[in-house]
Amino acid sequence: MKFKILLLGFGNVGKGFCRLLSEKRKILKENYGIDPSVVGICTRTRGNVYDPGGIDLTIFLNRTERTPLIPLKEMLGSKVMIPEDPSVEELVSKADYDVLAECTLTSLDGGEPAYGWMKKALERGRSVITTNKGPIAFHYPELHELELKHGSRLLFEGTVMAGTPVFATFLQGLSGSRIQSFEGVLNGTCNYILELMQQGKGYGDALEKAREAGYAEADPAMDVEGYDSALKALILSNVLTKKSVPFEKIELQGIRAMDPGLIEQARSGKGKIRLVARGRLGDNNSDISVKPEVLLPEHPLYNLPGAMNGLVFNTDTVGQVYISGKGAGSRETGFALLSDLIALFPGKRHFHPSVSVHKEQLISRRAHLC
Ligand code: HSE
């Protein structure tokens, strides 16, 4: 099945997604029966491009690595765009595409402008895949209504723990269960900084290292003030309960102005400091908090080195379920978009070729024995 993607955002995540689309083209076709092409790319600083025939991602990725700042239009060569300089709004509301892949920067300002773009795409009956936390944290119930009303789909695996399959695990794997609460270490930057601080580094140096490693947000206050963790906890609560909790109701404490006594407490008690997001999910309201805590070795979130994330769900069926993995990175977050894309087109079931050959052999061998 051929389909067209309009990509909003060509930073670390957008590029990671495009690299995976190129790298896995054969697998997508053979194992999942899908043949995606990117027809438009919109950026904040390098303009927008649109080619209904499909953009050559290999050229775009190669040239963008060599000349990261040139306007995207210059990479189309002699091709002329119609309209000549399309705006994001024009493309989202008029261009010919099937899936909007949205990976622009998260804003605390009600999730705008991405929220408006997603709404428009869903209203046009187009599916949306996103890694942008703002719109899902602030508007999930409305966006969910829109997908139901217009027969489109909205998937957002990359908003929490990058490509580590959080939503695939609990929306599908725990269907029928009630998730009563969760606790998670959801921000890699803070985890990395806290670890270095426990080894004796100062806060400023540790933050600088986290930035160098590429974990921190464009504005690292998002990480260290706890906003990023709070948005992720809000997303979990919104999606699990289909009800919004106002951001202001979150009990929020970041790590920038953390009580220095916690480091000593962790050292003397053989614990580890983690920025823990907790959610207690009720029928009518939920309580969410984010704050630094000392966790002891028996806690499932104790062993999370570097920028790793971890999440524990407490369920009424299988008790505690724990998932851990990378929560940031270009490839890791780009992969979340790829897995959402595959989930949109579940027509062809995937069987690993060697498994199906093996199955056929078994069947013919059994037939032979009979
Ligand atoms: N800055 C975020 C983190 C990136 O450190 O976890 C992923 O949301």
Side-chain angles (χ1 to χ4, degrees):
M1 181 196 284
K2 283 185 182 291
F3 62 89
K4 298 178 177 181
I5 300 171
L6 175 63
L7 175 65
L8 308 189
F10 197 54
N12 280 338
V13 178
K15 283 182 207 144
F17 175 52
C18 288
R19 279 189 202 106
L20 285 166
L21 281 178
S22 298
E23 180 186 323
K24 295 192 180 277
R25 179 158 295 283
K26 193 161 169 263
I27 291 176
L28 291 176
K29 219 174 194 167
E30 287 177 2
N31 293 356
Y32 302 98
I34 57 178
D35 184 10
S37 71
V38 173
V39 292
I41 304 180
C42 298
T43 68
R44 197 163 41 103
T45 54
R46 299 170 64 195
N48 310 322
V49 283
Y50 178 58
D51 180 351
I55 287 167
D56 186 331
L57 291 181
T58 319
I59 293 181
F60 262 61
L61 289 166
N62 283 342
R63 289 205 190 147
T64 212
E65 251 149 48
R66 276 186 280 131
T67 45
L69 299 177
I70 66 162
L72 293 188
K73 204 162 84 165
E74 291 181 21
M75 299 194 215
L76 282 179
S78 57
K79 278 193 177 170
V80 178
M81 279 192 289
I82 301 171
E84 205 179 314
D85 275 308
S87 66
V88 188
E89 284 71 21
E90 242 173 319
L91 288 177
V92 171
S93 54
K94 295 194 187 132
D96 175 20
Y97 64 92
D98 305 290
V99 179
L100 184 76
E102 205 286 333
C103 52
T104 62
L105 291 182
T106 292
S107 89
L108 283 175
D109 188 15
E112 289 289 9
Y115 169 53
W117 299 329
M118 288 184 193
K119 245 170 64 168
K120 179 49 82 187
L122 292 171
E123 282 164 0
R124 289 186 70 197
R126 306 307 196 259
S127 289
V128 175
I129 56 179
T130 186
T131 56
N132 190 326
K133 287 154 266 192
I136 312 297
F138 295 115
H139 302 287
Y140 179 69
E142 300 96 287
L143 291 171
H144 181 56
E145 281 293 311
L146 281 181
E147 64 170 334
L148 295 179
K149 184 169 168 198
H150 297 280
S152 36
R153 302 265 321 267
L154 168 66
L155 298 177
F156 39 82
E157 187 62 78
T159 56
V160 180
M161 288 176 68
T164 302
V166 169
F167 296 103
T169 302
F170 76 68
L171 289 183
Q172 288 161 36
L174 292 175
S175 320
S177 293
R178 184 186 158 86
I179 297 174
Q180 296 147 325
S181 62
F182 64 83
E183 49 191 328
V185 168
L186 303 176
N187 184 273
T189 303
C190 288
N191 208 50
Y192 184 80
I193 293 175
L194 289 171
E195 186 153 286
L196 290 183
M197 285 174 76
Q198 285 174 99
Q199 289 163 10
K201 268 225 174 326
Y203 169 79
D205 287 350
L207 173 58
E208 206 36 55
K209 284 235 166 286
R211 292 180 90 161
E212 279 165 26
Y215 300 136
E217 296 288 310
D219 173 7
M222 284 288 283
D223 299 294
V224 296
E225 300 289 0
Y227 300 133
D228 178 76
S229 299
L231 290 176
K232 289 167 179 167
L234 209 51
I235 291 171
L236 290 171
S237 158
N238 279 346
V239 173
L240 288 167
T241 64
K242 306 275 187 295
K243 294 198 178 87
S244 280
V245 174
F247 189 80
E248 308 70 57
K249 284 236 163 120
I250 300 175
E251 190 191 335
L252 177 58
Q253 211 184 310
I255 63 165
R256 195 180 54 82
M258 187 179 71
D259 173 6
L262 270 186
I263 296 192
E264 210 29 65
Q265 192 189 324
R267 273 199 200 119
S268 58
K270 307 216 175 337
K272 291 256 170 78
I273 309 176
R274 305 268 178 239
L275 184 67
V276 183
R278 292 184 187 280
R280 194 199 49 76
L281 307 175
D283 283 336
N284 297 318
N285 52 43
S286 303
D287 297 319
I288 301 175
S289 67
V290 173
K291 53 187 174 195
E293 292 179 25
V294 175
L295 302 181
L296 297 176
E298 53 274 21
H299 195 284
L301 300 173
Y302 174 89
N303 272 319
L304 289 175
M308 288 289 277
N309 285 189
L311 183 57
V312 180
F313 295 119
N314 293 300
T315 72
D316 67 344
T317 48
V318 284
Q320 261 191 3
V321 180
Y322 172 55
I323 179 165
S324 84
K326 289 194 175 160
S330 167
R331 187 172 172 86
E332 292 80 355
T333 315
F335 169 68
L337 289 173
L338 186 79
S339 69
D340 278 347
L341 195 66
I342 294 171
L344 285 179
F345 300 93
K348 184 169 171 178
R349 292 276 162 224
H350 167 59
F351 286 108
H352 191 282
S354 64
V355 174
S356 58
V357 168
H358 185 59
K359 266 169 104 182
E360 278 156 22
Q361 282 168 350
L362 280 180
I363 292 165
S364 71
R365 230 178 274 157
R366 225 178 283 147
H368 184 71
L369 285 174
C370 295

